Amino acid sequence: MTEPLIPAPPLPEVAPEQLRWKCDPSAFRFRDTSELEPIRDIIGQDRALRAIQLGLEMKSPGYNIFLSGFVGTGRNTTVSRVLQKLDRGEESPPDLCYVFNFRDPDCPRALLVPASKGCDLVQRMRRLVRQLARDVPKVFEGQTYQRARATIRKRYEKRQRSVVEQFQKRAEKEGFALVQVQAGAIANPEVVPLIDGEPKFLSDLEEAVDGGTFDAKKLEQLRDRQVEFSSELPTVFKEAMKVETEMMVRIQELDVRSVKPIVATCVSDVRDAFSELPEVLDYLEQVQEHVLENLAPFVGTHPIPRPSPTGNGIGESEEPGGPIEYRVNLVVDNRRVRGAPVLTEDVATSAHLFGFVERSFSTEGEGPVNHMKIKGGRLHEANGGYLILNTSDLFSEPPDVWNQLKRVLRTGKLEIPTSPPGSMLGPSPVKPEPVPISVKVVLIGDHHQYAILHAYEEDFRKIFKVRADFDTEMSNGLENIVQYGSFVQRLAQEEGILAFDRGALSATAEYGSRLAGRKSKLSTRFNLIADLAREATYFARLAGAKKVGAEHVEKALEEKDHRDNLAEEKMREQIEDGSIFIDVEGQKVGTVNGLAVYESGDHVFGLPSRITATVSLGNAGIINIEREADLSGRTHDKGVQILSGYLRSKYAQEKPLTLSASLCFEQSYSGIDGDSASSTELFALLSAIAELPLRQDVAVTGSVNQSGEIQPIGGVNEKIEGFFAICEARGLTGTQGVMIPAANVPDLMLRRRVVEAVREGRFHVWAVGTMDQGFEVLTGVAAGDKQGRRAYPLGTANGRVDQRLKKLANLMRDYGGHN
């Protein structure tokens, strides 16, 4: 391999004009953004807008919307503005009330009434209770009622006395009397003998027998007869109690007859106001029946005792508004809502979304739980309208929250949980009746969340049929740049920032193009554009300017970069002080400067990394040292495998590919992934095979396919600027530069300092489309083309690679033959 090398023809460099798009301020027909109308519409999201419009206007089940995209692309703003513009109708959604369920006290009843009717029902029921409390006692205090009641009592008390008197007469005829025996606070009736007209207890007569003053035989006769009368006594008093019970029934019937007209009149006042609502009329019918059966709360000091219902606290609390049974819990009040509601919930807990039953505890145990303790959730409030949720907020909660949301959207029924997820308490004593619900849910998330839900949640595909995908970029044209200016003017009106002159707007548009990663595009991540506008205003005011100029925008960008680039500076210092080995001059065999992109929060930067390759006799193939150390990702592993395919297709058509080679990212101690360095690794490998030195003043990036075509990569601007910063720190020699894929030229939006260095010839950028072009730049040797089945020309780079591989194959064959 001592044949003279054929020099490669020079490869044209990328022109300075291609390294950065420049926005011409003279293209604007205004002096500053204050002359523009502030834009209220959404910028650059036509596709997403059409999807949202479809999802919102479709009334069929399952057409809920998932908004996917990066933060700052306007997802929240877009859906809010679209919903504000949407014709939501004039009719407001119904109010939701919970009332006592007289048929099933443990299951409070839900009533849906027209908007503002809920408050009306609450007030009318309170008025009903007040009227009953005022008028019912008057009935019982009236002479007509008192006379009728006295007549009933007189008739039944006479019957009761008759039963007892008949028994007493029979007893007296036999020589016995009915007396009341006091036992503590209780007096019990007892039958005792009459001796000389005086009632005597048997114990007294037994003493008389012992004293010889009473006949023992007669005592025994009296004892036997007393037992007979005593056995009849319970029957007598049972008959008397039966008469009293019958009297109580007749008095209760009198009570009902007496107050029924008043109760019916009071209830009819409420019934007339809700005559078109069958559910409310049925409830009022039950109220009327219950009042007539349970008059005690309205009777006051009425002497007749009446049982009051108990259980779950019902009937136990006479709070303002009357007995609990007749109070109305207005859970959702839509009297001030116009059209379909639009709500956003950032705290997606079970209680906030679906409501809950309030429970209280004290040292005496759990307090009363009834329908008045029911609290509604945001889904109740959004019924008939729209609810906006954030996917991250939703899935930060227990899985039950997502499962219940799916169930609500699938069934159209909203059930308040009786026990919140993760609660150590048992279920609530009451189970509120589910309510029918019609709500359109808008979930805001990112592409990754959508992909996971779509792949693994079958229900998700059924209930979120519309995806509104927000783009991060839009076309770069005058119209969209002017919209940038209108956006700045909106911020000026809303936040008081300064107007931007034409130069400042041009600088902002150039920043937007860099964010988009392509000259022909502008970023739609308006949160970043807004931050730039705010910070540029700060520096303009600091300088005493009345408007924001280009210099203030540049200052804001420089300061932001300085705030965020501490990690970059620390890593660059390690290269500059020699802790990390990087050469920016000279030539070396099997060594090349690759370029990698790093992220530190929002800050993205590029730095060079030394990649080396060694080759020896053997048949181990290409060894990826990063993979052997478990530091290589799958994409990087694939890129290394492609290198073998390239070598076989280009150099092993007439001979076996026999070698042992290793590739390594030197001084790399963390994981490596991606294939953007695959061409760089291949250049190092070809250099080691051909024993041709590579330029160390040129850094390389780009992926490669098996055909040797250089493919585009990401982060091209950061990579170029990273190598430029190292070269600039060590001193630009005029020969240094970066080699990038030709397909990445439209993505170039380099900083002005780099562009000026290229313009002055102190730095260079080459764009290559094939491995052969890149190998020529790095070695200065012509690549050489293969003519048919003939070998690559001697003195060319490919010829050197081919001859070395042939030599390794022969050595391997001879070595195998000797063994």
Side-chain angles (χ1 to χ4, degrees):
M1 290 190 176
T2 57
E3 66 280 353
L5 299 176
I6 302 173
L11 181 70
E13 300 177 23
V14 180
E17 294 74 19
Q18 293 180 281
L19 300 178
R20 180 185 178 89
W21 168 69
K22 179 173 174 53
C23 180
D24 185 5
S26 64
F28 304 136
R29 298 182 179 179
F30 50 85
R31 287 172 298 180
D32 58 57
T33 55
S34 65
E35 300 176 16
L36 298 174
E37 287 295 323
I39 191 165
R40 303 296 176 187
D41 296 327
I42 309 305
I43 305 173
Q45 302 294 352
D46 294 339
R47 182 194 305 272
L49 283 171
R50 289 172 60 183
I52 293 171
Q53 198 76 25
L54 170 72
L56 295 179
E57 295 181 357
M58 286 291 291
K59 304 303 180 186
S60 301
Y63 280 86
N64 299 290
I65 306 169
F66 190 98
L67 304 187
S68 60
F70 285 100
V71 174
T73 52
R75 299 169 303 173
N76 297 60
T77 304
T78 298
V79 71
S80 298
R81 292 190 184 279
V82 170
L83 287 172
Q84 288 170 6
K85 291 184 177 181
L86 188 68
D87 181 10
R88 294 183 272 143
E90 295 297 327
E91 185 177 352
S92 299
D95 292 344
L96 172 63
C97 302
Y98 271 99
V99 295
F100 182 71
N101 190 339
F102 298 97
R103 297 189 180 102
D104 186 359
D106 290 336
C107 183
R109 184 175 181 178
L111 295 178
L112 289 170
V113 298
S116 78
K117 283 286 190 178
C119 183
D120 189 27
L121 180 61
V122 171
Q123 294 173 350
R124 288 180 181 274
M125 288 301 295
R126 286 177 178 170
R127 194 178 307 129
L128 166 68
V129 171
R130 288 197 298 269
Q131 289 173 342
L132 292 175
R134 179 193 65 199
D135 296 341
V136 169
K138 291 180 180 179
V139 172
F140 292 129
E141 293 166 1
Q143 291 183 359
T144 302
Y145 171 80
Q146 291 292 337
R147 283 196 299 269
R149 182 170 177 271
T151 300
I152 294 173
R153 289 187 65 87
K154 185 176 180 180
R155 182 170 67 249
Y156 281 93
E157 286 174 356
K158 181 178 180 181
R159 284 177 56 189
Q160 196 175 38
R161 285 195 302 272
S162 175
V163 171
V164 177
E165 286 173 356
Q166 289 177 12
F167 177 79
Q168 284 180 324
K169 288 179 180 179
R170 284 194 305 112
E172 288 175 358
K173 187 176 180 181
E174 295 287 336
F176 286 87
L178 183 64
V179 298
Q180 298 291 329
V181 179
Q182 197 73 25
I186 301 175
N188 294 319
E190 188 174 333
V191 178
V192 298
L194 284 173
I195 305 299
D196 298 330
E198 293 290 331
K200 294 290 185 179
F201 291 102
L202 291 181
S203 59
D204 296 335
L205 295 178
E206 288 173 352
E207 291 179 0
V209 169
D210 292 339
T213 59
F214 194 79
D215 184 42
K217 186 175 181 180
K218 188 176 181 179
L219 175 62
E220 290 302 316
Q221 292 174 348
L222 291 174
R223 191 191 304 277
D224 293 342
R225 193 60 180 148
Q226 185 191 36
V227 170
E228 293 175 4
F229 278 116
S230 296
S231 63
E232 290 182 33
L233 191 59
T235 303
V236 171
F237 277 95
K238 183 177 181 181
E239 182 66 23
M241 289 299 297
K242 182 178 179 181
V243 173
E244 184 174 356
T245 301
E246 188 176 341
M247 179 186 69
M248 296 293 291
V249 171
R250 296 294 174 263
I251 292 178
Q252 189 171 22
E253 290 173 352
L254 172 65
D255 290 351
V256 172
R257 287 196 309 273
S258 301
V259 301
K260 187 173 183 178
I262 293 176
V263 174
T265 300
C266 293
V267 173
S268 67
D269 291 341
V270 185
R271 184 184 289 112
D272 292 343
F274 297 90
S275 58
E276 298 180 355
L277 300 174
E279 287 291 317
V280 178
L281 295 179
D282 181 65
Y283 164 69
L284 293 173
E285 188 68 29
Q286 294 179 44
V287 168
Q288 181 170 324
E289 293 175 4
H290 191 269
V291 169
L292 293 174
E293 294 172 359
N294 300 271
L295 289 170
F298 306 104
V299 176
T301 58
H302 195 292
I304 300 176
R306 289 172 174 80
S308 62
T310 58
N312 297 336
I314 300 298
E316 298 175 4
S317 176
E318 302 298 323
E319 300 181 35
I324 283 290
E325 297 93 329
Y326 313 125
R327 296 182 65 192
V328 176
N329 182 5
L330 181 56
V331 174
V332 178
D333 183 4
N334 284 321
R335 57 185 151 166
R336 294 183 178 85
V337 176
R338 295 293 175 265
V342 177
L343 303 177
T344 300
E345 181 54 61
D346 297 322
V347 184
T349 63
S350 174
H352 281 204
L353 289 181
F354 311 112
F356 62 100
V357 179
E358 187 178 31
R359 303 170 71 177
S360 60
F361 296 87
S362 67
T363 55
E364 298 178 356
E366 184 172 5
V369 181
N370 50 60
H371 68 282
M372 297 303 295
K373 302 292 186 179
I374 297 172
K375 308 296 179 184
R378 293 296 260 179
L379 279 166
H380 292 98
E381 298 173 17
N383 190 16
Y386 310 90
L387 179 61
I388 304 170
L389 299 173
N390 189 286
T391 308
S392 298
D393 295 335
L394 184 62
F395 285 94
S396 66
E397 299 298 324
D400 284 349
V401 176
W402 167 243
N403 291 332
Q404 186 161 0
L405 178 62
K406 290 191 299 180
R407 186 161 52 250
V408 170
L409 296 178
R410 190 176 62 248
T411 63
K413 290 185 178 181
L414 175 54
E415 183 174 349
I416 295 177
T418 56
S419 180
S423 173
M424 298 181 65
L425 300 175
S428 167
V430 298
K431 183 179 181 181
E433 179 186 8
V435 295
I437 187 169
S438 174
V439 63
K440 188 80 71 173
V441 173
V442 180
L443 265 185
I444 299 178
D446 56 37
H447 302 293
H448 180 64
Q449 291 168 336
Y450 179 84
I452 291 177
L453 289 170
H454 192 272
Y456 298 106
E457 274 283 356
E458 184 177 352
D459 288 336
F460 175 80
R461 299 193 293 271
K462 295 177 182 177
I463 58 180
F464 285 91
K465 295 182 178 180
V466 178
R467 178 187 185 184
D469 205 358
F470 278 69
D471 202 349
T472 57
E473 60 187 28
M474 59 183 178
S475 59
N476 185 353
L478 182 60
E479 181 181 354
N480 284 339
I481 296 173
V482 173
Q483 286 188 325
Y484 262 37
S486 297
F487 175 73
V488 170
Q489 178 59 15
R490 191 183 94 191
L491 290 177
Q493 288 191 354
E494 294 177 354
E495 302 181 17
I497 69 171
L498 296 176
F500 277 39
D501 65 19
R502 291 184 292 186
L505 182 57
S506 295
T508 303
E510 291 171 6
Y511 172 68
S513 180
R514 180 179 171 97
L515 285 177
R518 202 165 182 84
K519 297 190 191 78
S520 60
K521 299 291 183 181
L522 292 174
S523 175
T524 56
R525 300 185 67 180
F526 283 95
N527 65 323
L528 300 180
I529 302 299
D531 288 343
L532 175 63
R534 297 178 185 112
E535 292 167 22
T537 293
Y538 167 79
F539 289 109
R541 284 176 172 152
L542 207 61
K546 298 295 181 66
K547 298 179 183 178
V548 175
E551 67 277 14
H552 305 127
V553 175
E554 292 295 335
K555 177 67 173 175
L557 291 174
E558 290 174 6
E559 288 296 321
K560 183 181 188 308
D561 187 63
H562 180 71
R563 289 195 305 271
D564 298 340
N565 72 349
L566 179 61
E568 178 185 4
E569 286 189 358
K570 294 298 183 182
M571 294 178 69
R572 193 185 300 159
E573 286 176 3
Q574 290 182 305
I575 295 175
E576 292 171 3
D577 65 17
S579 299
I580 296 178
F581 295 167
I582 295 292
D583 291 326
V584 295
E585 294 182 77
Q587 293 180 317
K588 285 187 177 181
V589 173
T591 301
V592 65
N593 287 325
L595 293 168
V597 172
Y598 301 86
E599 292 185 11
S600 176
D602 291 334
H603 185 60
V604 181
F605 59 96
L607 287 175
S609 176
R610 175 177 285 183
I611 299 175
T612 61
T614 61
V615 175
S616 66
L617 188 64
N619 55 13
I622 300 175
I623 300 172
N624 177 8
I625 292 179
E626 313 303 322
R627 179 181 180 181
E628 298 299 318
D630 289 330
L631 294 175
S632 178
R634 289 183 295 179
T635 306
H636 180 253
D637 291 342
K638 176 185 175 182
V640 174
Q641 294 300 317
I642 288 173
L643 307 189
S644 298
Y646 173 80
L647 292 177
R648 285 192 296 269
S649 66
K650 195 171 182 72
Y651 303 110
Q653 298 301 306
E654 289 122 14
K655 59 183 177 297
L657 184 62
T658 306
L659 82 165
S660 291
S662 62
L663 291 169
C664 180
F665 277 74
E666 302 292 351
Q667 293 182 285
S668 172
Y669 308 109
S670 59
I672 293 174
D673 205 359
D675 65 347
S676 65
S678 58
S679 69
T680 313
E681 293 171 307
L682 185 52
F683 286 130
L685 181 59
L686 293 176
S687 169
I689 295 172
E691 298 178 331
L692 285 174
L694 301 178
R695 293 176 58 178
Q696 302 300 294
D697 55 358
V698 177
V700 182
T701 185
S703 70
V704 65
N705 60 29
Q706 293 189 106
S707 300
E709 296 171 321
I710 306 298
Q711 302 170 144
I713 44 81
V716 64
N717 293 301
E718 290 79 6
K719 291 177 178 179
I720 294 173
E721 290 165 356
F723 189 65
F724 173 82
I726 297 300
C727 294
E728 187 180 43
R730 292 187 177 181
L732 293 172
T733 63
T735 64
Q736 297 148 332
V738 175
M739 190 167 68
I740 65 171
N744 278 120
V745 172
D747 304 337
L748 292 176
M749 195 65 192
L750 297 173
R751 293 174 180 169
R752 288 187 173 85
R753 190 171 77 253
V754 181
V755 176
E756 290 305 313
V758 172
R759 194 185 308 279
E760 295 168 2
R762 297 182 295 119
F763 197 73
H764 310 272
V765 178
W766 294 274
V768 297
T770 65
M771 284 296 301
D772 284 351
Q773 288 180 322
F775 209 20
E776 288 183 345
V777 172
L778 291 172
T779 62
V781 178
D785 293 326
K786 193 174 184 181
Q787 302 296 326
R789 297 180 62 85
R790 300 175 62 182
Y792 288 102
L794 298 177
T796 63
N798 284 326
R800 291 282 292 264
V801 174
D802 192 47
Q803 288 189 27
R804 178 76 187 283
L805 289 174
K806 186 181 296 183
K807 179 179 179 180
L808 291 173
N810 291 333
L811 288 172
M812 193 65 186
R813 182 195 58 200
D814 295 342
Y815 179 80
H818 289 300
N819 290 274

